[in-house]
Amino acid sequence: SSSSSSSSSSSSSISRRKSIMAPAPKTSSEPQASASDDVVCRSVADAEAKRAPLITLEGGRTIAYVRCECSKCQGLVMCGDKQLLPTAVTPSHYDLALTPNLETFQYDGVVTVKLTVREPCAAVTFHAKDLKISSGVVVDASGAERTNPGGPDILYGDEKQETATVALSKPLLASDVGSEITLTLAFSGELNDKLAGFYRSAYPAPDGSGETRHLAVTQFEPTDARRCFPCWDEPSLKATFGMTLTVADDRVALSNMPEKSVTRDAEAKTKTVTFETTPVMSTYLLAFCVGEFDHIEATTPEGVVVRCWTPVGKSEQGRFALDTAVGSLSFFGEYFDNAYPLPKMDMVAVPDFSAGAMENWGLVVYRASLMLFEEGKTPINAKQRIGYVVGHELAHQWFGNLVTMQWWSQLWLNEGFATWVGWRAMDHLYPEWKVWSQFLCNEQGMGLGLDSLRSSHPVEVPIESASQVNEIFDAISYSKGSCVIRMLESHLGEETFRAGMRIYVARHQYANAGTTDLWAALSEASGEDVRGLMECWTSQTGYPILSVASKDDGSSVVVSQRRYLASGPDSLTPEESGATWKVPLRAEGFATVPGVLDAATGAFDVAAADREKPLKLNVGQSGFYRVVYDENARARLMRALPGMSEVDRVGLVSDAFACGAAGYAKTTAALELARAYADAGEESYVVWNEIASGLGGITSAFFEQPDDVCDALRAYGASLFAPLVAKLGWVAPGGEATAPGGYQTSMLRQLAVSRALAYEHPASVAAARELFDAYVGGDREAIPADIKGAVFASALRHGGERELDELKRLYKEAESSLEESLLLGAMGASKDPALISRVLEFNMTDAVRKQDGAAIIGASAGTRAGRRVTWDWVRANWDAVDAKFGGGGVSSGLTRVIGASCGGLASEEDAAAIEAFYLPKKIDGAERTVTQAAEAVRAKSARLARDADVVGAWVVAAAAAAEEK
């Protein structure tokens, strides 16, 4: 791409498509921009008086804009804090017709937009990116053309503005305000390979001919509708859409709404499909797809037709997703007391997709591995993931589609709520999954992890430009957002919270709303000052750690709060040390402990009858914070472990490892706690999953410690998980799937086998080798589906070229994208630097899809042998990596590759190298990823400075003691 400064004729932010006259410059005394200026508009810096608040954020913060009237912009664009379009005209309806060619990868289009005139103007500006606009005509309410008949007068904005403008030969005046005009644009574009906008996706021909064919599908969120057609691509500029697709007669065409009419051209072998008009919605929710598909369908009790579209011949693999969708739509309709408003819901699985799935209204698009399930071949954790993703996307049909955030700064309203209520739907449909326990390991763990960094961001974060939006599709918007919602629901009560949600949806349906609107509805339902309680959680970065100190006799307790940082308490600035939150303490059974701590410290007397009871804060683990206990309080909790609930046992071990990692407690205490759980016969999958996560953090940070320490860490890990393998076996007995607790047992077996193999337990490694040899020898039933990935990885870890070649062969023969993902992950497990480099080279071939590029890099960078090899390789081959994985939209493959390439490193020198390599490249949407990766590496370096000697000695001694036994 080229910047405006590279233009040979001018560095103006407006470039002309034809030799036309732009509106004359203003002759007033306003600041004039010269052709050499690099900024969009000098008046931005000089015209504070022109700023007008556009949206109020939590804490009273506002985002403002400047209406530009300098010679550079001439009123055609609005620049400033949000880079918004002018508000002179706004859309109410689009009629969009596209003719995609799946062989040339080009398409032609015509869009007619009905616009309401809000203010006088001399031009109409809209979003457009990577499009060639061949004509533009504006017709006013009387039917008179306002553009030059010999036009088009099309001007393109600066590359970063992603705009185009139609100049008017006769300006719209004050007398036109309130009238409706139409803008008709003819344009063409490319079915790109960037997984953004209207793009192509390759698949093998279903007739077995070996031919490679392509489908075309959309991904518009957050700001890529403009890549497909000219539009007003901002979430608050809602409109209705009429969609028409002309495609090959033998292809399926889908869009948000049902078909309205189909006309066929027998000679051209095409059909033109016109769809019903959508409800009013944002541009990022428009969707369409053209390809070869089979489908299955069902109807909800409320009469909504639900269809799952799959690759040809795989329709039954959509059955689980279909059943989940039917149940979810009914559940959400009842939960919100607001029926799903569209007549149908299509869900389509495509081979290439940058994110997991996209909630387009009435046409949800999924990565194939997150929609297709095959009993006996799909691992149990993948089945649960599919169910959750379906629930998440369908929750968006209400929270995001029906009610939409005002601006991307409030993305958390969409994603945080959909994450939380998606889990709630799964709890309703599949109670045996015990999802709220897993919520702790998944959402709460990820949210607490990312938000422990200084380079994190508030839940509600100012967003100034389109390039910044992609950076906040992260664990703060999704995971912390969902945890904040869950914390509030626990505080208000489930029924009260749901009543508030119903008020919110009913009040703002088919419109846009913000965080304060949500708080207002919940306050109305509860009678509490919800905004006053929650503002600190959405406007502040980070979260607190509570320190609990109790007297020896238990007669009093002091609870204090300060910010938790992964880099440790010594790294806190005075300002960070002074931050406080309104923290729901949830100390059940202690009447003298208040419900909320809203000061830095609170001291509480304990009733005599309660002094021998264990004081555990955050009972039920709904609070988004950490807790560290002094010796007295911890001793009481340890004695109470046998009678403690599963989620509270998870919370204790999670806090122990996290507080040890950041220096708020001793890591050896966490290791002792894990051993105590094992000795007590702990059988909970989620508890063991949290132990595995905590121990994995230590192993990762210690990867360059002396061999005896690393060997001892592996031995300690194996001593925890190998007994579970011995107890549970490698194959589930008949009837386990339907037995009480059977689902959790299957999950625990999968975890135990994978960890025993990762820690190289000799007997487990030998057993895995036998299974692998049988499998590659032709017995495709030899390895249970749940442990395939772990067995494949173990075989390569203890093998060589032959094993790698076998994995490549299996990859080539894989019948599902999920199988491909398992094999790619396994390919990164080698200990041989030469093989690691071979695998990284394989990752650059066309055999690996762009969406999967981070799998091998993440796997190889996650091993002791592979961390340095991978980091050095990515830097040495950066141009090729950028060429293959760059250029996408949300969940860009390149951003994931960046994080995977360096996240396993653990020294200050590494952190500096990460910043020095990536930051000067100014990769769109990646700056925050790079900064967070470097900070996480520095946190590990600080951990090593505190823990290396003490923890190293502890694990070596533990290994020696185990050998003596």
Side-chain angles (χ1 to χ4, degrees):
S1 61
S2 61
S3 66
S4 58
S5 61
S6 65
S7 173
S8 60
S9 58
S10 169
S11 62
S12 169
S13 65
I14 299 293
S15 60
R16 300 178 185 175
R17 176 170 168 77
K18 289 197 172 185
S19 179
I20 61 172
M21 293 299 294
K26 294 280 186 178
T27 57
S28 69
S29 59
E30 293 171 355
Q32 300 292 301
S34 70
S36 62
D37 284 348
D38 290 328
V39 297
V40 173
C41 173
R42 183 182 291 169
S43 69
V44 172
D46 299 336
E48 285 298 320
K50 296 180 182 178
R51 289 184 179 267
L54 198 68
I55 185 171
T56 300
L57 302 177
E58 286 295 306
R61 294 175 292 127
T62 62
I63 290 179
Y65 66 81
V66 172
R67 182 182 303 286
C68 300
E69 294 178 342
C70 68
S71 62
K72 198 165 203 179
C73 304
Q74 298 167 359
L76 303 183
V77 299
M78 222 177 249
C79 55
D81 292 340
K82 287 173 68 176
Q83 295 187 6
L84 290 174
L85 292 171
T87 55
V89 296
T90 56
S92 61
H93 178 76
Y94 296 80
D95 280 311
L96 175 61
L98 298 177
T99 305
N101 188 316
L102 297 177
E103 294 180 357
T104 65
F105 307 138
Q106 302 295 312
Y107 64 90
D108 295 318
V110 176
V111 63
T112 298
V113 191
K114 292 182 180 178
L115 300 163
T116 302
V117 180
R118 307 290 183 186
E119 304 164 13
C121 62
V124 175
T125 298
F126 44 86
H127 286 115
K129 181 178 182 180
D130 299 339
L131 300 174
K132 295 179 180 178
I133 301 173
S134 56
S135 68
V137 176
V138 173
V139 176
D140 65 19
S142 69
E145 183 177 348
R146 292 292 186 101
T147 40
N148 290 322
D153 287 355
I154 307 294
L155 300 91
Y156 289 103
D158 177 86
E159 182 180 349
K160 291 185 178 180
Q161 292 177 324
E162 300 177 351
T163 61
T165 296
V166 173
L168 302 179
S169 59
K170 183 180 178 183
L172 295 166
L173 306 176
S175 58
D176 294 302
V177 172
S179 68
E180 185 176 84
I181 64 173
T182 61
L183 167 66
T184 300
L185 298 162
F187 60 96
S188 60
E190 178 191 11
L191 297 173
N192 67 67
D193 61 354
K194 302 179 186 301
L195 309 186
F198 196 16
Y199 70 92
R200 64 185 186 266
S201 177
Y203 62 96
D207 58 12
S209 64
E211 174 191 359
T212 296
R213 295 181 185 171
H214 292 84
L215 59 84
V217 66
T218 56
Q219 170 57 34
F220 290 165
E221 189 184 30
T223 57
D224 283 313
R226 65 191 69 175
R227 280 188 194 248
C228 176
F229 67 103
C231 58
W232 278 252
D233 201 12
E234 295 167 8
S236 63
L237 297 178
K238 288 189 169 185
T240 55
F241 294 83
M243 188 70 217
T244 298
L245 291 169
T246 299
V247 303
D249 195 37
D250 60 351
R251 295 298 190 265
V252 173
L254 302 170
S255 189
N256 305 77
M257 297 297 287
E259 292 180 355
K260 181 179 182 180
S261 65
V262 180
T263 58
R264 287 180 165 81
D265 185 330
E267 183 176 348
K269 297 182 180 180
T270 63
K271 63 182 177 182
T272 298
V273 183
T274 300
F275 298 89
E276 299 284 354
T277 300
T278 71
V280 63
M281 66 184 193
S282 304
T283 48
Y284 78 88
L285 295 171
L286 183 65
F288 28 92
C289 183
V290 180
E292 295 178 279
F293 302 101
D294 283 344
H295 79 278
I296 52 175
E297 68 177 65
T299 304
T300 71
E302 297 79 22
V304 178
V305 176
V306 184
R307 296 178 294 188
C308 280
W309 297 87
T310 73
V312 174
K314 297 184 178 181
S315 60
E316 277 303 314
Q317 293 183 28
R319 181 67 61 183
F320 174 68
L322 178 68
D323 293 344
T324 302
V326 169
S328 295
L329 287 174
S330 294
F331 171 79
F332 292 132
E334 190 279 330
Y335 184 88
F336 294 114
D337 193 25
N338 198 310
Y340 176 70
L342 274 61
K344 63 91 172 176
M345 166 54 68
D346 283 322
M347 305 197 303
V348 58
V350 299
D352 296 286
F353 198 72
S354 61
M358 176 60 206
E359 67 267 18
N360 314 298
W361 213 353
L363 177 58
V364 179
V365 181
Y366 295 83
R367 184 182 291 206
S369 60
L370 291 175
M371 198 184 97
L372 304 183
F373 170 78
E374 197 169 2
E375 195 69 54
K377 294 185 178 180
T378 304
I380 190 169
N381 60 331
K383 179 180 182 179
Q384 179 176 304
R385 179 66 178 162
I386 291 168
Y388 162 72
V389 170
V390 170
H392 177 104
E393 302 308 327
L394 297 191
H396 274 306
Q397 308 302 302
W398 286 262
F399 225 89
N401 301 5
L402 186 63
V403 182
T404 309
M405 69 216 158
Q406 292 172 335
W407 178 243
W408 296 109
S409 55
Q410 296 150 336
L411 177 68
W412 86 278
L413 283 177
N414 279 19
E415 300 301 350
F417 192 89
T419 299
W420 173 81
V421 82
W423 284 100
R424 179 162 288 288
M426 293 307 99
D427 185 50
H428 172 76
L429 295 174
Y430 307 110
E432 68 276 13
W433 289 1
K434 299 174 71 174
V435 299
W436 292 119
S437 296
Q438 295 186 57
F439 183 91
L440 301 180
C441 303
N442 291 283
E443 308 305 341
Q444 192 171 87
M446 289 189 292
L448 290 169
L450 181 55
D451 211 28
S452 69
L453 301 178
R454 186 173 279 114
S455 54
S456 180
H457 61 83
V459 166
E460 186 167 347
V461 56
I463 293 295
E464 299 174 4
S465 66
S467 64
Q468 293 179 328
V469 179
N470 289 327
E471 296 186 9
I472 64 167
F473 282 83
D474 61 9
I476 301 302
S477 297
Y478 285 73
S479 300
K480 182 180 180 179
S482 66
C483 291
V484 167
I485 294 282
R486 181 171 179 261
M487 180 168 62
L488 180 57
E489 187 209 32
S490 296
H491 176 74
L492 297 179
E494 183 177 334
E495 292 302 318
T496 299
F497 184 85
R498 181 166 59 178
M501 297 313 306
R502 289 177 171 181
I503 293 171
Y504 175 81
V505 171
R507 182 172 292 159
H508 301 288
Q509 60 185 333
Y510 302 108
N512 298 82
T515 302
T516 53
D517 297 311
L518 177 60
W519 297 158
L522 290 167
S523 294
E524 184 176 330
S526 66
E528 294 194 32
D529 179 12
V530 173
R531 179 175 180 176
L533 176 66
M534 298 306 295
E535 191 170 277
C536 60
W537 294 98
T538 58
S539 63
Q540 286 188 146
T541 302
Y543 57 88
I545 177 171
L546 303 190
S547 298
V548 178
S550 60
K551 284 190 174 181
D552 290 346
D553 63 0
S555 61
S556 66
V557 62
V558 175
V559 180
S560 58
Q561 63 166 300
R562 54 180 166 169
R563 183 176 174 183
Y564 177 98
L565 277 178
S567 51
D570 294 340
S571 68
L572 288 167
T573 66
E575 181 181 359
E576 290 167 338
S577 296
T580 59
W581 287 260
K582 295 183 178 180
V583 187
L585 294 178
R586 298 187 65 78
E588 293 183 3
F590 288 81
T592 57
V593 178
V596 175
L597 176 69
D598 58 5
T601 301
F604 318 110
D605 292 329
V606 178
D610 295 333
R611 290 175 184 175
E612 290 304 313
K613 290 163 49 178
L615 171 62
K616 184 188 182 300
L617 300 185
N618 202 12
V619 171
Q621 293 303 122
S622 61
F624 191 76
Y625 55 90
R626 297 287 188 191
V627 185
V628 62
Y629 300 89
D630 69 1
E631 288 298 326
N632 290 326
R634 194 161 70 91
R636 293 188 181 91
L637 287 170
M638 291 295 289
R639 292 194 295 269
L641 272 179
M644 199 175 290
S645 71
E646 180 181 62
V647 292
D648 286 326
R649 298 199 308 278
V650 172
L652 276 185
V653 74
S654 175
D655 284 347
F657 275 107
C659 292
Y664 293 89
K666 295 179 180 179
T667 296
T668 52
L671 293 168
E672 290 166 357
L673 180 61
R675 173 56 65 193
Y677 276 62
D679 291 344
E682 179 62 64
E683 296 181 340
S684 164
Y685 158 71
V686 288
V687 171
W688 278 112
N689 190 58
E690 200 59 43
I691 291 172
S693 177
L695 189 55
I698 298 174
T699 304
S700 176
F702 278 55
F703 81 101
E704 288 185 318
Q705 294 302 295
D707 287 346
D708 64 329
V709 173
C710 291
D711 291 343
L713 268 172
R714 281 198 300 273
Y716 174 76
S719 74
L720 294 177
F721 290 98
L724 292 172
V725 177
K727 178 181 178 180
L728 300 173
W730 291 67
V731 180
E736 180 177 275
T738 56
Y743 182 86
Q744 299 300 316
T745 300
S746 296
M747 294 284 283
L748 180 57
R749 177 185 298 103
Q750 182 186 51
L751 173 69
V753 169
S754 69
R755 293 300 86 202
L757 291 176
Y759 291 123
E760 302 183 37
H761 177 247
S764 298
V765 169
R769 182 74 218 194
E770 291 183 11
L771 294 177
F772 180 79
D773 288 342
Y775 189 89
V776 298
D779 181 4
R780 289 296 190 262
E781 305 297 321
I783 307 176
D786 291 347
I787 59 173
K788 265 187 184 179
V791 170
F792 290 157
S794 182
L796 181 59
R797 189 180 297 119
H798 298 278
E801 289 191 18
R802 185 175 76 83
E803 287 73 19
L804 177 57
D805 289 341
E806 288 288 5
L807 293 182
K808 287 182 177 179
R809 177 176 67 84
L810 293 173
Y811 177 79
K812 185 177 181 180
E813 297 172 356
E815 296 181 353
S816 72
S817 56
L818 182 60
E819 186 92 353
E820 291 175 351
S821 297
L822 291 175
L823 287 158
L824 289 174
M827 287 183 201
S830 176
K831 295 180 179 181
D832 182 347
L835 285 186
I836 295 169
S837 294
R838 266 187 60 188
V839 168
L840 293 169
E841 294 290 349
F842 175 71
N843 198 40
M844 300 304 297
T845 67
D846 291 340
V848 179
R849 294 180 184 274
K850 177 183 288 196
Q851 67 180 17
D852 297 326
I856 283 179
I857 291 176
S860 61
T863 68
R864 188 185 184 200
R867 279 174 168 80
R868 293 277 167 217
V869 176
T870 304
W871 174 226
D872 291 343
W873 187 93
V874 168
R875 285 184 292 176
N877 295 273
W878 177 253
D879 288 345
V881 171
D882 186 20
K884 177 168 182 177
F885 301 112
V890 63
S891 301
S892 164
L894 187 64
T895 303
R896 293 198 296 269
V897 165
I898 290 170
S901 69
C902 57
L905 303 175
S907 74
E908 172 59 38
E909 293 75 17
D910 289 325
I914 291 166
E915 293 168 332
F917 181 72
Y918 283 126
L919 289 180
K921 300 183 186 304
K922 299 187 182 302
I923 303 163
D924 277 352
E927 181 178 353
R928 196 185 297 271
T929 297
V930 173
T931 303
Q932 289 170 347
E935 185 183 350
V937 168
R938 288 192 172 95
K940 283 193 277 188
S941 177
R943 177 180 197 168
L944 287 172
R946 290 188 302 266
D947 273 1
D949 293 340
V950 175
V951 173
W954 190 96
V955 295
V956 169
E963 276 191 24
E964 290 179 6
K965 292 182 180 179

